[in-house]
């Protein structure tokens, strides 16, 4: 069986971004200490899966995990190593934001075995950063990246956001040029989504910021793919590009149906077969639940065979290499090309998918309209 991935959620941030809809809150050292203790307790006493799979990826997400001290991170990793069979060559990713770390702390993280940095650059324009409520500047982004290289990080991913309110194609082009000049191993790029209840949604509703232009965002997506591909990056997933050999091993588990075990508030898990579960989202309720030995899993879902098959289609189609219909038939006993002939014909005629032998792939236009394609299979 494929090895599993571990996701560890660190919910603390230095400030709250205007667009953020994640389970995060402002950093307080005493609360963070209490949270880390609860997290270690959850990992140590975990028994959701009777025989857990070996692990070859560990992903610290958030939030801003780089706000933790190296000592706190070390205790979490010690708990993981005591509970799971962790491969020696595991990919260990730490999400971080510019301005939240020093060169010394990055060196300490690297010495603990963290070998991949997922780096929230978002944009290289200080005005755009301010509008997003980001707490860092472009100069801090450049400084942090220089420190990462200096302490030995050879696998760095940038997060970039396109389609910001008022953002021009010229400004986006400058972002791309700056990103590619730094030559990270991986690029994750997102078209801005406006979530109800966030400050950004309120700013747009009241006219403080313009509503994002969907057509302009699509043009930015196309420009990203063109420029990055010309610079030698592979577009391997709808929102991700990498240098050859630097795909996110952890995130790929989500798309190919592998097991992943989540720890911390709001963390989600999948046993790789039919069971999904999710932890309490609220930080304090999560901590108190662990401290009182109360079950902090608030949702368990037993997938039906049809659910598993549908997920295999829309998650597999996220990968630009495509979904192999023969492998699908061997696994599920269903000829997808026959069963979904009408939908596949419709999407092919619309230019959203292409068929190449037994491979079903999204086109570039299909990647932009992927939700419409996926909805047909759910």
């Amino acid at each position: 069986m494929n090895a599993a991935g571990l996701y560890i959620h660190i919910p603390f941030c230095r400030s709250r971004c205007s667009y953020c809809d994640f389970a995060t809150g402002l950093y307080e050292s005493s609360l963070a200490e209490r949270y880390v203790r609860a997290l270690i307790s959850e990992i140590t006493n975990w028994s959701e899966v009777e025989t857990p799979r070996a692990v070859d990826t560990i992903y610290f997400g958030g939030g801003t995990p780089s706000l933790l001290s190296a000592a706190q991170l070390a205790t979490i990793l010690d708990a993981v190593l005591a509970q799971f069979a962790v491969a020696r060559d595991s990919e260990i990713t730490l999400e971080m934001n510019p301005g939240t770390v020093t060169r010394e702390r990055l060196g300490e993280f690297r010495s603990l075995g963290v070998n991949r940095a997922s780096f929230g650059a978002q944009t290289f324009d200080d005005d755009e950063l301010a509008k997003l409520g980001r707490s860092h500047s472009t100069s801090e982004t450049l400084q942090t990246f220089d420190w990462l290289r200096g302490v030995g990080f050879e696998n760095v991913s940038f997060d970039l956001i396109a389609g910001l309110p008022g953002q021009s194609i010229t400004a986006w082009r400058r972002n791309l040029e700056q990103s590619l000049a730094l030559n990270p191993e991986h690029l994750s790029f997102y078209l801005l989504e406006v979530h109800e209840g966030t400050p950004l949604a309120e700013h747009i509703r009241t006219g403080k910021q313009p509503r994002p232009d969907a057509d302009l965002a699509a043009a930015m997506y196309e420009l990203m793919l063109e420029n990055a591909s010309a610079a030698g990056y592979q577009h391997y997933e709808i929102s991700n590009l990498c240098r050859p050999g630097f795909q996110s091993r952890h995130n790929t588990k989500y798309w190919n149906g592998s097991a992943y075990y989540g720890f911390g508030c709001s963390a989600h898990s999948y046993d790789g077969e039919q069971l999904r579960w999710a932890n309490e989202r609220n930080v304090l309720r999560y901590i108190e639940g662990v401290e009182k030995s109360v079950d902090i899993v608030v949702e368990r879902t037993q997938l039906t065979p049809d659910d598993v098959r549908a997920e295999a289609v829309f998650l597999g189609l996220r990968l630009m290499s495509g979904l192999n219909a023969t492998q699908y038939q061997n696994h599920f006993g269903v000829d997808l090309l026959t069963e979904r002939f009408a939908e596949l014909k419709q999407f092919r005629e619309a230019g959203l998918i292409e068929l190449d032998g037994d491979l079903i792939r999204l086109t570039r236009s299909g990647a932009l309209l992927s939700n419409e394609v996926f909805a047909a299979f759910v």
Side-chain angles (χ1 to χ4, degrees), residues 206-285:
T206 58
K208 291 181 179 178
Q209 293 197 56
R211 186 170 298 279
D213 184 326
D215 291 336
L216 184 58
M220 292 176 179
Y221 183 89
E222 294 279 358
L223 185 63
M224 175 76 175
L225 296 183
E226 291 171 8
N227 287 18
S229 296
Y233 288 82
Q234 298 174 341
H235 182 207
Y236 74 96
E237 192 272 342
I238 289 175
S239 299
N240 291 276
L241 301 113
C242 68
R243 294 287 183 195
F246 285 95
Q247 293 93 337
S248 169
R249 288 165 53 191
H250 181 83
N251 287 342
T252 299
K253 292 183 184 298
Y254 301 141
W255 305 317
N256 66 18
S258 297
Y260 51 89
Y261 310 137
F263 297 94
C265 68
S266 81
H268 286 64
S269 303
Y270 176 51
D271 69 354
E273 297 176 10
Q274 289 186 308
L275 183 63
R276 295 190 183 280
W277 63 98
N279 282 357
E280 167 62 54
R281 179 181 173 91
N282 180 274
V283 175
L284 283 175
R285 284 200 295 268

Side-chain angles (χ1 to χ4, degrees), residues 236-238 251-258 276 307-325 327-328 332 336 353 359-362 370 373-374 377:
Y236 74 96
E237 192 272 342
I238 289 175
N251 287 342
T252 299
K253 292 183 184 298
Y254 301 141
W255 305 317
N256 66 18
S258 297
R276 295 190 183 280
D307 292 334
V308 175
R309 287 172 48 206
E311 288 196 0
V313 174
F314 74 77
L315 291 175
L317 283 176
R318 290 195 65 91
L319 294 169
M320 302 311 293
S321 56
L323 178 69
N324 188 303
Q327 292 178 0
Y328 181 93
F332 295 108
L336 185 64
I353 65 167
L359 287 177
I360 308 168
R361 283 195 294 255
L362 291 176
S370 57
V373 177
F374 299 158
F377 297 97

Side-chain angles (χ1 to χ4, degrees), residues 324-336 358:
N324 188 303
T326 298
Q327 292 178 0
Y328 181 93
Q329 183 170 3
N330 290 340
H331 186 78
F332 295 108
V334 175
D335 183 346
L336 185 64
D358 56 1

Side-chain angles (χ1 to χ4, degrees), residues 191 193 214-215 218 221 238 310 313-315 317-318 340 342-348 350-353 362-378:
L191 302 181
E193 294 184 15
D215 291 336
Y221 183 89
I238 289 175
V313 174
F314 74 77
L315 291 175
L317 283 176
R318 290 195 65 91
R340 295 291 189 166
E343 294 96 331
L344 293 173
K345 180 175 183 291
Q346 173 191 354
F347 292 135
R348 189 179 186 185
L352 301 182
I353 65 167
L362 291 176
T363 63
R364 191 172 287 186
S365 297
L368 265 173
L369 299 172
S370 57
N371 286 341
E372 284 77 1
V373 177
F374 299 158
F377 297 97
V378 179

Side-chain angles (χ1 to χ4, degrees), residues 142-303:
L142 300 175
Q143 178 69 86
T144 304
F145 182 74
D146 185 60
W147 286 340
L148 283 167
R149 290 301 199 211
V151 301
F153 276 88
E154 298 176 347
N155 190 354
V156 178
S157 176
F158 281 172
D159 284 355
L160 300 172
I161 300 180
L164 304 178
Q167 186 178 42
S168 68
I169 196 76
T170 300
W172 177 241
R173 190 185 302 275
R174 286 197 299 268
N175 272 329
L176 296 183
E177 290 171 351
Q178 178 68 82
S179 299
L180 297 175
L182 291 171
N183 197 28
E185 285 68 36
H186 190 279
L187 291 165
S188 294
F189 61 105
Y190 306 97
L191 302 181
L192 180 69
E193 294 184 15
V194 181
H195 297 282
E196 286 302 317
T198 62
L200 179 59
E202 180 64 14
H203 292 168
I204 291 171
R205 188 187 69 79
T206 58
K208 291 181 179 178
Q209 293 197 56
R211 186 170 298 279
D213 184 326
D215 291 336
L216 184 58
M220 292 176 179
Y221 183 89
E222 294 279 358
L223 185 63
M224 175 76 175
L225 296 183
E226 291 171 8
N227 287 18
S229 296
Y233 288 82
Q234 298 174 341
H235 182 207
Y236 74 96
E237 192 272 342
I238 289 175
S239 299
N240 291 276
L241 301 113
C242 68
R243 294 287 183 195
F246 285 95
Q247 293 93 337
S248 169
R249 288 165 53 191
H250 181 83
N251 287 342
T252 299
K253 292 183 184 298
Y254 301 141
W255 305 317
N256 66 18
S258 297
Y260 51 89
Y261 310 137
F263 297 94
C265 68
S266 81
H268 286 64
S269 303
Y270 176 51
D271 69 354
E273 297 176 10
Q274 289 186 308
L275 183 63
R276 295 190 183 280
W277 63 98
N279 282 357
E280 167 62 54
R281 179 181 173 91
N282 180 274
V283 175
L284 283 175
R285 284 200 295 268
Y286 164 80
I287 293 173
E288 291 169 356
V290 174
E291 290 174 343
K292 296 176 181 178
S293 299
V294 174
D295 189 2
I296 45 82
V297 174
V298 294
E299 180 182 331
R300 288 185 174 88
T301 303
Q302 186 77 30
L303 302 178

